Amino acid sequence: EAGVTQFPSHSVIEKGQTVTLRCDPISGHDNLYWYRRVMGKEIKFLLHFVKESKQDESGMPNNRFLAERTGGTYSTLKVQPAELEDSGVYFCASSRYAGLFQYEQYFGPGTRLTVT
Amino acid sequence: EDKVVQSPLSLVVHEGDTVTLNCSYEVTNFRSLLWYKQEKKAPTFLFMLTSSGIEKKSGRLSSILDKKELSSILNITATQTGDSAIYLCAVFRGLDAGGTSYGKLTFGQGTILTVHP
């Protein structure tokens, strides 16, 4: 079974530019999550999709971040315009769905975003 | 706000040693605790603990949850250089009043384990 994949693995952009990160969850996993770790801090939750619907976006830092999951398969996370404090590693995770039951989440390798 | 604290933050041992990593939490409506191992890229799932006092074991790794003490430990016996990694602890909370925030994991800072030959 293929794991969670993310693209790109590393992105370097200038402040003010736009970047789009992509996540492909494990096949059949309806739950998809985005997390972020900024340097020196713990991994923090950004948002949770169930299929194509946003279940919880309480962790999104501001309206410069836009996540989509059209068709309930892969997801994109767009940062526009990027700021220096957006630098960090963005992780995607997926899990099986069974209503409110919490299954373990499987993580992708992350996208390292550097904003200069 | 939910809080997860891991200790120690870093640990250096020699092959063959036994290590114990700690995780404590302050979480509203705690549901379960998870351990992950992160070597280079993706955190890989190790254990999910929901019931207090029941040990979960996988090879040389084992973990147990103590709901009374709001903590968990991860033990690694006969360590090998391949055990060198960041070990992450995370918790699920139960449903909040709105029933929406059930999927998010709250992570600790991680413990960096280095095993020397």
Side-chain angles (χ1 to χ4, degrees), chain A residues 96-109:
Chain A
R96 289 179 287 167
Y97 176 74
L100 301 176
F101 186 83
Q102 294 158 329
Y103 283 106
E104 64 274 15
Q105 296 178 15
Y106 294 91
F107 280 75

Side-chain angles (χ1 to χ4, degrees), chain B residues 12-39:
Chain B
V12 180
V13 300
H14 287 93
E15 272 192 322
D17 289 349
T18 293
V19 299
T20 298
L21 310 183
N22 300 282
C23 176
S24 63
Y25 58 87
E26 292 175 26
V27 176
T28 303
N29 194 16
F30 170 85
R31 179 76 176 155
S32 55
L33 184 146
L34 291 80
W35 285 97
Y36 287 85
K37 176 184 181 183
Q38 184 179 18
E39 292 180 80

